[in-house]
Amino acid sequence: MAASDRHPDLLVFDGLVLTSGGRRELELMRAGGLTGANFTCSVWEGFRPTMERIARWKMSLAANADLARPVLTAADLRAAKREGRIGVVLGWQNASAIEDQIPFIQLFHDVGVRVVQLTYNTQNLIGCGCYEARDSGLTGFGHEVVAELNRVRMLIDLSHVGPKTSEEAIAASRLPVCYSHVAARALKDHPRNKSDDQLRAIAEKGGFVGVTFFTTFLARGMDATLDDFLDVVEHIIGVVGEEGVGFGTDARQRYEAWSIYWEDYTEADPPYWTHDKGYARQLTTFAPQRRPAAFVDYASYGALTVAMEARGWPESRIRRVMGENWVRFLGDVWGA
């Protein structure tokens, strides 16, 4: 695929990546023109294991300061672009790390966490995930968590959250919330995909939608291409408007097993991701290929720009969807 002359100039933000954060991954990201991303550092873990993961990320950032920098504000992302480094936003795919302690939220904010998904696939103390048979909604404790996340200005993510819990979280939050990595149920009926009504509900309160190219959630499954991904982007733009949409690839890759978090990770569906609480009942079964073929590795972000250009998108839309929308939205939520 031919390169894009426009791509090196773009601010490029990925709403969700899964990586060990080793030097090789960061080198590929910089080669791909990535400005920054939401890097998962907790899924099923409690307080101490999550703190250990954060400590390892801080060690990696210190060791690779020529390639990456921590991000606490939207201004840090723009600085990362100027510096030619990767802006690392620490985020969670579950809120299990706060256990039953609201004060832990402030502690995690103090050490740099900026994105918190309320639940990951199943029930926790806050609410319900998208793979539970019944969604009872946001709990009383969940309302307290939402209020505290608002107070410290951490972004609430609802990508894996059940429909009723999402609806009630959107209503309860005084700050806009996001779906960081989702696709459209109108194009493929899947419990992880969001209906047009769910997309409108988040947008009506100023929320944001990051579109994934995880092929299981696209209409043609493992045969999906970047064109199938852009079909979803265009559909969601039609529902929520152009300024409320970006991307969150959910791209997974590991080159270096420096973290115990990733020692068992392969492209063939580790039980950690597909089982409740990381070890119990099987929730999902995915085939090994999880991204369109054109996105070979983290050096491939330019392929997204090329695909958008091939669709005839105007430069303003490309700039917005590739990252400008995300950075503006994050600034609105995080503040200065």
Side-chain angles (χ1 to χ4, degrees):
M1 181 177 289
S4 166
D5 293 335
R6 180 184 288 115
H7 184 75
D9 185 48
L10 299 179
L11 194 159
V12 180
F13 187 83
D14 193 334
L16 196 286
V17 295
L18 294 166
T19 170
S20 62
R23 187 169 182 86
R24 177 58 176 158
E25 293 103 308
L26 295 172
E27 288 173 339
L28 288 168
M29 288 175 172
R30 185 162 71 174
L34 183 67
T35 304
N38 170 22
F39 289 78
T40 294
C41 66
S42 183
V43 182
W44 297 114
E45 294 79 17
F47 178 82
R48 179 172 179 131
T50 298
M51 280 295 193
E52 291 172 351
R53 313 268 186 268
I54 293 169
R56 289 175 180 274
W57 267 106
K58 289 183 177 292
M59 291 168 60
S60 178
L61 288 169
N64 298 291
D66 58 320
L67 292 175
R69 58 166 291 160
V71 168
L72 302 179
T73 68
D76 290 338
L77 284 167
R78 297 197 181 277
K81 177 65 178 176
R82 292 193 301 272
E83 297 161 1
R85 295 193 288 172
I86 308 302
V88 174
V89 178
L90 294 180
W92 297 351
Q93 293 211 52
N94 197 0
S96 55
I98 68 171
E99 300 178 352
D100 60 357
Q101 298 296 312
I102 298 293
F104 286 177
I105 294 173
Q106 180 70 64
L107 292 179
F108 281 114
H109 180 275
D110 291 347
V111 296
V113 177
R114 287 297 180 270
V115 182
V116 173
Q117 184 167 250
L118 296 185
T119 71
Y120 184 73
N121 291 341
T122 60
Q123 181 78 44
N124 64 14
L125 295 177
I126 292 168
C128 214
C130 63
Y131 288 119
E132 292 284 9
R134 288 181 294 179
D135 182 352
S136 57
L138 194 66
T139 65
F141 179 70
H143 279 274
E144 293 184 74
V145 169
V146 167
E148 181 67 359
L149 291 171
N150 283 173
R151 186 189 71 80
V152 301
R153 303 190 77 96
M154 291 164 75
L155 174 61
I156 294 171
D157 185 1
L158 303 173
S159 299
H160 287 253
V161 179
K164 185 172 179 59
T165 300
S166 293
E167 176 186 352
E168 295 182 357
I170 292 167
S173 179
R174 62 177 177 79
L175 292 175
V177 301
C178 81
Y179 298 130
S180 69
H181 57 300
V182 299
R185 190 167 292 185
L187 300 185
K188 182 169 184 178
D189 188 12
H190 190 285
R192 263 281 282 117
N193 289 348
K194 304 302 180 182
S195 70
D196 287 358
D197 286 344
Q198 290 174 300
L199 295 168
R200 289 190 194 96
I202 204 168
E204 284 171 358
K205 289 200 65 178
F208 195 87
V209 182
V211 184
T212 184
F213 61 35
F214 193 92
T215 50
T216 298
F217 307 144
L218 302 182
R220 294 199 297 145
M222 295 306 163
D223 295 324
T225 68
L226 290 181
D227 277 327
D228 298 288
F229 160 70
L230 292 182
D231 286 344
V232 181
V233 176
E234 290 179 346
H235 175 84
I236 294 177
I237 286 174
V239 175
V240 309
E242 188 172 295
E243 294 187 356
V245 178
F247 70 89
T249 62
D250 204 4
R252 310 166 183 213
Q253 200 158 323
R254 185 195 73 168
Y255 291 96
E256 301 171 33
W258 57 268
S259 169
I260 59 172
Y261 186 32
W262 299 97
E263 283 179 351
D264 295 326
Y265 178 71
T266 70
E267 283 291 307
D269 274 340
Y272 181 81
W273 300 105
T274 59
H275 287 67
D276 191 8
K277 310 300 183 284
Y279 71 90
R281 61 192 166 110
Q282 180 86 34
L283 296 170
T284 59
T285 302
F286 299 134
Q289 182 186 339
R290 295 176 178 171
R291 52 183 178 257
F295 197 93
V296 177
D297 56 28
Y298 288 131
S300 303
Y301 283 98
L304 303 182
T305 304
V306 170
M308 292 173 186
E309 291 172 337
R311 297 284 276 238
W313 283 15
E315 181 172 352
S316 59
R317 172 176 284 189
I318 293 173
R319 287 186 176 277
R320 286 172 176 163
V321 173
M322 285 299 289
E324 290 289 350
N325 281 347
W326 259 122
V327 176
R328 173 196 51 76
F329 173 74
L330 293 172
D332 291 345
V333 175
W334 294 341

